Amino acid sequence: MRYEITVKVNGEDYEAYIPARRTLLDFLRDDLGLRGTKKGCDEGDCGSCVVLLDGTPVNSCMVLAVEVNGREVTTIEGLAKGDELHLVQRAFVEQGAIQCGYCTPGMVLAGKALLDVNPHPTTTEIKEAISGHLCRCTGYGAIVEAIQAAAESMDGGQRASGKTGRSD
Amino acid sequence: MRDFEYCRPQSLKEAVTVLAEKGKGAYPLAGGTDILIELKRRRLPASCLVDIKAIPELRGIEREGDALRIGALTTHSELLGSSLIQETVPVIAHAARQMAFPEIRNRGTIGGNICNAYPAADLVPPLIALGSSVLLASASGQREVGVAEFVLGSRQIAILPGEVLVAVKVPVPVSNAACAYARASTRKTGGIAATSAAAYLSADGGVCRQARIVLGAIEAKPRFVAEAAGYLEGTSISEDVAKAAAKMSVSGLSPIVDPRLSVQYRSYMTELMVRQAVLEAWAEVNR
Ligand SMILES: Cc1cc2nc3c(=O)[nH]c(=O)nc-3n(C[C@H](O)[C@H](O)[C@H](O)COP(=O)(O)OP(=O)(O)OC[C@H]3O[C@@H](n4cnc5c(N)ncnc54)[C@H](O)[C@@H]3O)c2cc1C
């Protein structure tokens, strides 16, 4: 069965007519062409498909697109303002926290979501925040450092207010 | 995934009506972190998903007399962030923190964890040890069932067709009682429990009055270990007493097959988890 949905993705409104079984991940990649969100395990285990749903990080493979009707989604494409990278993105570049890049969009979004609610995280808190994200190029050290560096470079004006985990 | 219908009722009444109407192939959808995997693997013959997340009656954490009422839709993130839970039944927050990782905890719910009835479900052993019950609603009325009676086995629950789990009722331990939960996993985060144990203890004058020990993950169904609990009652619990009770807990188990870990290892770890949970609960009682 198909359903009509309206969803705001990276600040833009989209209307779509989609089957109930379409995951948010497939909707973003295949219907909207936003391929920054990666498809890894497709079972909620690897973190490469993580996006922000009303500011909260979720595995987009574990959400149906029909469930986000009327909601707001932020993908990796929505972080930079024009040519200006988000602080977390810039920190990943500067710290060399990227190798193959497959885990990077999810890691960056998890880092951003953490800093939105906790601007001065400890190393343990950073590790906890990215604990649902697998990196197979063994880059965790640099990733933790990048999020730490982003926190240090952040000033009050850059921080948005974030939320944690309510089942819609 | 196979094709299915989707609907999002706005009230409990509307939800139970839809579930009754759609019949056998209709399943409630909460956080989706279990059911979507079942659908992707084509293990569930669902023809309709009834998204229950817009139903206000399924939300909230409230104190009602000597119990807490936790709405079925409460996510694991909400459980571990709730000051009311932290103050009254910290073991639930502790168990929620052991589960998965932030993204899954942001979606997964307490109602889904119980209804999915996976042997490794982390909230189930402490809920049973605390003596919790579930409140269920259907088109024909409401009822209350103990979690211990509700969970029948691996992925089997005593739910009637068309019923929705509305809330979980958790008795708040009195001042001289406490509950602790310990679990072992192959991974520090993100790994499901290979074995787990919850211990509820009450004390009177330095002596254990009442003990309940519940094992999770090791068997298809959470198991009460009455013998070990009886052994603790009437004693002043020491390291040695806890050790002996832990040893008793693992005799006569019928562990489910887990391709990752041997039965021998899991039994050994179960013993350690019981010991840990008992000693932690005892320390808490005597604090
Ligand atoms: C990567 C990953 C890691 C995980 N790690 C853990 C872990 O460490 N520990 C653990 O315990 N679990 C774990 N889980 C499993 C899962 O996240 C939890 O069991 C979660 O609590 C399920 O809740 P949900 O709201 O997502 O359920 P759903 O998937 O929405 O539902 C599960 C089942 O319960 C039924 N249901 C849900 N709510 C109700 C209700 N109110 N009334 C009636 N029926 C209902 C549904 O119809 C379905 O059959 C993990 C899952 C994933 C994907």
Side-chain angles (χ1 to χ4, degrees):
Chain A
M1 294 278 280
R2 288 179 166 257
Y3 299 87
E4 198 105 39
I5 62 165
T6 309
V7 52
K8 203 187 264 299
V9 180
N10 301 331
E12 241 179 273
D13 285 320
Y14 291 89
E15 275 177 30
Y17 186 60
I18 45 139
R21 63 179 164 177
R22 175 119 348 133
T23 60
L24 175 58
L25 171 60
D26 289 343
F27 173 69
L28 291 169
R29 288 181 57 85
D30 301 341
D31 293 309
L32 303 190
L34 295 171
R35 304 228 165 82
T37 306
K38 302 301 178 209
K39 188 170 189 166
C41 70
D42 208 24
E43 292 197 346
D45 247 323
C46 76
S48 64
C49 71
V50 164
V51 299
L52 306 184
L53 181 55
D54 294 330
T56 302
V58 299
N59 299 94
S60 63
C61 73
M62 299 301 291
V63 178
L64 297 173
V66 282
E67 289 180 85
V68 304
N69 186 24
R71 316 265 316 259
E72 207 171 324
V73 177
T74 305
T75 70
I76 193 66
E77 289 91 343
L79 282 201
K81 291 204 179 75
D83 285 341
E84 197 194 324
L85 292 181
H86 185 274
L87 281 177
V88 177
Q89 289 175 303
R90 203 185 315 148
F92 269 64
V93 174
E94 283 167 4
Q95 303 291 318
I98 301 168
Q99 210 174 103
C100 85
Y102 210 82
C103 73
T104 311
M107 290 279 194
V108 168
L109 287 165
K112 178 203 184 286
L114 171 69
L115 299 184
D116 283 346
V117 291
N118 180 1
H120 304 290
T122 61
T123 307
T124 310
E125 286 167 339
I126 294 174
K127 286 182 179 169
E128 171 71 22
I130 61 166
S131 59
H133 297 253
L134 299 182
C135 166
R136 297 289 87 155
C137 311
T138 60
Y140 294 111
I143 291 166
V144 172
E145 281 161 24
I147 296 172
Q148 196 85 66
E152 281 157 19
S153 71
M154 237 174 212
D155 58 60
Q158 291 270 0
R159 279 178 221 137
S161 65
K163 290 179 256 165
T164 39
R166 180 176 185 269
S167 60
D168 306 359
Chain B
M1 279 187 272
R2 289 202 184 88
D3 192 29
F4 51 80
E5 266 183 86
Y6 170 87
C7 59
R8 192 174 167 100
Q10 302 294 310
S11 71
L12 184 56
K13 191 160 175 253
E14 199 188 320
V16 294
T17 311
V18 171
L19 283 169
E21 248 172 47
K22 300 283 176 189
K24 226 169 136 249
Y27 289 84
L29 168 68
T33 60
D34 273 316
I35 199 170
L36 289 192
I37 291 181
E38 293 306 295
L39 292 171
K40 286 179 187 197
R41 294 185 183 170
R42 302 202 168 191
R43 288 200 296 222
L44 199 72
S47 54
C48 178
L49 289 192
V50 180
D51 187 347
I52 55 176
K53 287 190 290 297
I55 304 174
E57 293 96 323
L58 271 47
R59 292 200 179 273
I61 306 173
E62 281 134 47
R63 176 118 197 195
E64 284 180 355
D66 49 13
L68 273 197
R69 182 191 186 280
I70 305 175
L73 286 176
T74 306
T75 63
H76 307 309
S77 295
E78 289 172 320
L79 288 175
L80 67 87
S82 157
S83 50
L84 188 54
I85 296 221
Q86 199 54 252
E87 284 155 23
T88 52
V89 277
V91 65
I92 298 299
H94 172 74
R97 193 180 293 281
Q98 312 300 304
M99 299 179 56
F101 39 79
E103 285 87 350
I104 293 292
R105 295 201 292 256
N106 285 341
R107 294 292 290 176
T109 65
I110 186 170
N113 197 240
I114 298 170
C115 289
N116 195 56
Y118 192 57
D122 280 298
L123 296 178
V124 173
L127 285 174
I128 292 180
L130 286 161
S132 314
S133 51
V134 289
L135 305 173
L136 302 155
S138 71
S140 54
Q142 299 234 4
R143 63 183 181 119
E144 186 176 336
V145 186
V147 177
E149 290 74 44
F150 187 67
V151 177
L152 299 174
S154 179
R155 302 195 177 279
Q156 284 180 303
I157 49 172
I159 200 159
L160 299 173
E163 261 183 339
V164 171
L165 195 163
V166 176
V168 187
K169 219 170 103 183
V170 187
V172 175
V174 287
S175 63
N176 57 344
C179 186
Y181 177 65
R183 54 110 90 178
S185 176
T186 50
R187 282 193 265 160
K188 220 172 180 178
T189 58
I192 58 158
T195 179
S196 65
Y200 169 92
L201 302 173
S202 74
D204 202 351
V207 171
C208 174
R209 274 284 145 247
Q210 199 187 8
R212 286 197 292 262
I213 298 171
V214 181
L215 309 184
I218 188 88
E219 291 190 316
K221 183 185 163 177
R223 172 194 274 260
F224 267 116
V225 280
E227 195 199 352
Y231 175 77
L232 293 176
E233 288 169 336
T235 68
S236 173
I237 297 174
S238 62
E239 292 257 353
D240 285 343
V241 168
K243 208 168 166 177
K247 204 163 207 80
M248 270 177 210
S249 302
V250 297
S251 75
L253 287 183
S254 329
I256 47 174
V257 174
D258 180 337
R260 303 164 305 165
L261 300 163
S262 70
V263 163
Q264 199 185 13
Y265 174 76
R266 274 154 62 233
S267 298
Y268 175 66
M269 290 310 287
T270 305
E271 208 178 309
L272 295 191
M273 293 305 109
V274 171
R275 192 165 85 192
Q276 186 183 329
V278 165
L279 288 174
E280 277 176 15
W282 189 243
E284 188 65 36
V285 168
N286 290 295
R287 201 173 359 216

